[in-house]
Amino acid sequence: MAGGLAIETRGLSKHFGQQAAVDRVDLAVPHGTVFGFLGPNGSGKTTTIRMLLGLAAPSAGTVNLLGQEMPDKLHDVLPRVGALVEGPAFYPFLSGAANLHRLDSASPHTVPATRKARVQQALERVGLEHAAGKRVHAYSLGMKQRLGIANALLSPRDLLVLDEPTNGLDPQGTREVRNLVRSLAHQGTTVFVSSHLLAEVDQMCTHAAVMSVGKLVAQGPLAELRQAGSMRLRLVTPDAGAARQVLAGLGLVPGPGQSEPRAQPDGETVVAVLHTGTRRPSVLPEDVVAHLVQAGVRVRGFAVERESLEDRFVALTGEGFDVAQ
Amino acid sequence: MPQAAQTARAAGAPRSSGLSLLGSELKVLFGRRRTWALLLALAAIPVLIAVAVKVSSAVPPGRGPAFLDRITQNGLFVAFTAMLVSVPLFMPLAVGVVAGDTIAGEASLGTLRYLLVAPAGRVRLLLVKYAGALAFCIVAPLTVGLAGAAIGAALFPVGPVTLLSGGVVQPAEAALRIVLIAAYLAVSLAGLSAIGLFLSTLTVVPVGAMAATVVVSVVTEVADQLPQLDWLHPWLFSHYWLGFGDLLRQPVAWDSFASNALLQAGYMAVFGALAYGRFVTKDILS
Ligand SMILES: Nc1ncnc2c1ncn2[C@@H]1O[C@H](COP(=O)(O)OP(=O)(O)O)[C@@H](O)[C@H]1O
Ligand SMILES: [Mg+2]
């Protein structure tokens, strides 16, 4: 395996007219990881996945899947890859089981003799065995989503690419998907799962990459991404002015949201950024307290806050509901 | 690192022959209600003709489509009449629906991406889709012919059939000629199917590809009627569509069958190549 990577892209780009939907993305997904591909709607996740799977040709850049170049080695690679791309899609006039039969027989690499058993197994795995004979037309969105995951599990896979697998699922279904992903990862399958929901990636992934407007803005083990966030201290004091002077003297920048609108009766809240990124803090929190006390600043409250992954995500991808254009 | 899929393959498990997809395609095509509706509509043509002839007193000779005046004497002529009547419009309509749906239908459902990720292989999928359309081209005229023979036999006497060349053949031989004409029509529709397949690779809206295919067929047939374009006529895929009368001679004249087959093969090659060129490089974004 090339460098132990299940997915490796170099300079991967896709242009739609003037727009760069995916812009020079260098993904590195190690084997055996549960890799979250995080980004707001329209940030280029699905487009990237289409290029990974050979559905769309890159405008520039290369894709290496399981150690082999795509799309040249598509027929060697894809039988080892299960995928859910941009939501499930099925023949509405066929039953769930018939749909899986159809898609399984599409590959010349599957074994017809075991097809029936594999379809049955996949349906059981996603809890659809009772709806197997029902037309997909009558399925709810959540059931279709499950059937889509079942399709990805029809054969033993080395890599699963799941594009927003929990879309349309209820909390129970979301939990089941999470457990399913964990159990698959436990068996050695690399899982590449895209999501626009941070909490989801946070709960199920070991690694993550963050997309923003077509660009890859961060990637690595989740723990490292968390570490990369800034550390802030929050101080409640009646002597805000003096406190600010002390902090400035220590070279600390005032953090965002420093003067809270609801002014507390017993003092003002002062927020300062202790450090950002992976740099060591220039001054330790306990030393800050010592300096404050020395300067006669009365302290009512003092807290050290690490930026949450959520803050980090927002910092990387921008705030609000703006869908990237 | 356990490589499950690799191990499974190393075990030397028997692999599918690759024909599974064709089987599945035929099953889906002929299992769907729409296909049945098309075939039922085609089967309704001979039924309509037979009933109309039955309830009306007598058809004056020489009026209406060829063979119509002979139905009352011999029910088998219902089949010949119905096949003749359905060639200009109904057959191309039905074939346009099926051929136009081939790729665009999968694209609009979104199943195209899952077939390709399976991986079905783009060339293989295209071939299987075309094979499915050809299967329909075989079944459709056969449906008209057999429904015609059945309703004809039910409503009218059946006896020896006088051919265009004047000879007489027994009903069994006449039934064989019906099948032969169905085969002729199947070949006739192969070129149009290839055009439909190509048009189907251009869009994700199946109705668009269907309508375009039917329009192409109608325009071609009109062009085939214009004397100003007679230099073009031998190249039009519909040129030999009505030439199956040669199969109703004794002995059978195979000339138009051969010319037709050659022409259709040309259309298959050209539009097959166009469909291939379009489909293997196409971005699947639906
Ligand atoms: N077929 C297409 N034609 C033009 N633009 C497209 C097409 N598909 C996607 N895009 C654009 O590419 C960008 C990325 O889309 P997508 O990859 O679907 O994002 P995500 O999956 O992260 O929500 C969006 O701005 C979208 O408008
Ligand atoms: Mg998407």
Side-chain angles (χ1 to χ4, degrees):
Chain A
M1 296 291 136
L5 293 177
I7 302 175
E8 185 179 19
T9 72
R10 285 182 189 278
L12 190 65
S13 307
K14 183 74 186 178
H15 299 274
F16 292 116
Q18 291 292 307
Q19 181 201 6
V22 176
D23 195 5
R24 283 162 288 165
V25 164
D26 299 317
L27 266 176
V29 179
H31 275 292
T33 55
V34 178
F35 195 102
F37 193 40
L38 192 58
N41 290 323
S43 56
K45 304 181 299 291
T46 301
T47 307
T48 303
I49 288 173
R50 285 185 197 280
M51 290 190 284
L52 293 181
L53 299 172
L55 290 171
S59 306
T62 58
V63 173
N64 189 296
L65 221 56
L66 299 170
Q68 292 180 293
E69 290 300 316
M70 285 290 285
D72 299 354
K73 293 288 165 59
L74 187 145
H75 288 277
D76 298 328
V77 179
L78 288 190
R80 297 165 57 198
V81 180
L84 182 71
V85 189
E86 181 99 306
F90 293 103
Y91 305 90
F93 48 86
L94 293 182
S95 72
N99 265 289
L100 293 189
H101 272 271
R102 158 90 170 158
L103 292 174
D104 192 67
S105 57
S107 165
H109 305 273
T110 56
V111 185
T114 59
R115 184 164 295 146
K116 203 166 170 187
R118 285 183 295 111
V119 166
Q120 180 65 24
Q121 242 169 25
L123 286 168
E124 276 167 20
R125 200 135 190 208
V126 297
L128 273 183
E129 63 269 33
H130 299 301
K134 218 183 202 179
R135 277 166 198 250
V136 167
H137 174 73
Y139 275 31
S140 69
L141 177 59
M143 290 164 81
K144 286 184 197 156
Q145 195 75 22
R146 284 162 192 256
L147 193 60
I149 295 171
N151 172 49
L153 299 177
L154 277 173
S155 294
R157 313 285 195 187
D158 296 326
L159 172 65
L160 276 180
V161 176
L162 304 175
D163 191 8
E164 315 236 2
T166 57
N167 250 4
L169 290 183
D170 49 20
Q172 164 76 13
T174 307
R175 217 163 21 246
E176 284 171 19
V177 167
R178 210 183 303 143
N179 291 335
L180 190 63
V181 164
R182 282 209 194 98
S183 83
L184 288 163
H186 193 68
Q187 294 157 25
T189 306
T190 307
V191 185
F192 182 79
V193 52
S194 88
S195 176
H196 65 275
L197 297 174
L198 174 82
E200 206 170 278
V201 168
D202 196 12
Q203 286 172 359
M204 104 180 123
C205 298
T206 59
H207 290 59
V210 182
M211 290 285 285
S212 175
V213 213
K215 289 198 166 65
L216 192 66
V217 289
Q219 86 174 312
L222 214 53
E224 255 175 44
L225 290 178
R226 275 204 196 90
Q227 289 291 328
S230 61
M231 194 188 270
R232 293 184 303 189
L233 52 84
R234 182 179 293 270
L235 176 67
V236 185
T237 170
D239 311 323
R244 284 208 187 85
Q245 261 174 13
V246 172
L247 293 174
L250 290 168
L252 298 177
V253 262
Q258 56 165 316
S259 53
E260 316 233 315
R262 316 166 239 101
Q264 283 119 332
D266 343 308
E268 199 177 325
T269 304
V270 177
V271 178
V273 177
L274 213 49
H275 77 120
T276 48
T278 40
R279 278 185 291 120
R280 300 280 311 149
S282 52
V283 50
L284 294 172
E286 49 270 38
D287 295 335
V288 175
V289 177
H291 279 98
L292 287 170
V293 171
Q294 230 169 38
V297 175
R298 292 166 297 164
V299 175
R300 178 169 283 273
F302 184 87
V304 180
E305 296 174 340
R306 185 170 279 292
E307 188 186 39
S308 71
L309 202 55
E310 170 123 38
D311 296 332
R312 178 105 180 95
F313 180 52
V314 169
L316 285 169
T317 61
E319 186 104 44
F321 290 99
D322 304 337
V323 171
Q325 284 306 302
Chain B
M1 186 99 23
Q3 296 295 306
Q6 243 172 15
T7 339
R9 278 204 279 163
R15 218 90 75 62
S16 106
S17 61
L19 281 177
S20 284
L21 183 56
L22 181 60
S24 160
E25 178 64 23
L26 294 177
K27 213 161 112 186
V28 170
L29 178 61
F30 289 103
R32 51 184 310 185
R33 230 182 288 173
R34 193 182 64 199
T35 310
W36 282 97
L38 286 173
L39 293 175
L40 275 177
L42 286 174
I45 295 168
V47 173
L48 203 68
I49 291 172
V51 170
V53 169
K54 185 80 182 171
V55 296
S56 66
S57 44
V59 182
R63 290 196 46 199
F67 313 127
L68 193 62
D69 50 354
R70 306 219 216 152
I71 287 176
T72 44
Q73 296 134 48
N74 194 335
L76 289 179
F77 275 99
V78 174
F80 297 128
T81 312
M83 286 199 280
L84 189 66
V85 163
S86 61
V87 165
L89 187 60
F90 300 112
M91 291 285 178
L93 213 62
V95 167
V97 168
V98 171
D101 191 54
T102 45
I103 300 294
E106 300 281 358
S108 80
L109 285 177
T111 43
L112 183 56
R113 61 178 184 269
Y114 288 109
L115 290 173
L116 293 181
V117 164
R122 296 196 183 204
V123 178
R124 186 161 158 270
L125 182 62
L126 204 60
L127 287 174
V128 163
K129 280 289 173 182
Y130 188 58
L134 284 186
F136 183 80
C137 292
I138 293 170
V139 170
L142 214 51
T143 304
V144 176
L146 296 183
I151 189 80
L155 295 187
F156 303 102
V158 171
V161 173
T162 312
L163 296 175
L164 298 178
S165 55
V168 174
V169 294
Q170 291 309 303
E173 165 84 26
L176 199 68
R177 299 290 175 111
I178 291 175
V179 173
L180 208 57
I181 292 174
Y184 183 95
L185 294 183
V187 171
S188 295
L189 296 167
L192 182 62
S193 297
I195 293 171
L197 181 74
F198 168 60
L199 293 172
S200 195
T201 61
L202 300 179
T203 173
V204 294
V205 187
V207 224
M210 295 175 194
T213 310
V214 175
V215 167
V216 165
S217 162
V218 170
V219 168
T220 303
E221 288 179 84
V222 169
D224 202 21
Q225 301 295 318
L226 299 177
Q228 290 85 347
L229 294 177
D230 60 357
W231 53 272
L232 186 63
H233 292 172
W235 302 99
L236 297 176
F237 60 80
S238 63
H239 188 62
Y240 299 99
W241 277 9
L242 295 171
F244 58 79
D246 287 358
L247 300 177
L248 291 176
R249 296 180 196 282
Q250 191 77 299
V252 172
W254 292 100
D255 303 13
S256 51
F257 199 112
S259 311
N260 187 27
L262 199 64
L263 181 67
Q264 302 301 331
Y267 272 90
M268 283 164 68
V270 171
F271 284 92
L274 285 173
Y276 168 86
R278 173 69 183 136
F279 190 55
V280 290
T281 56
K282 189 183 185 181
D283 279 350
I284 309 303
L285 298 171
S286 57

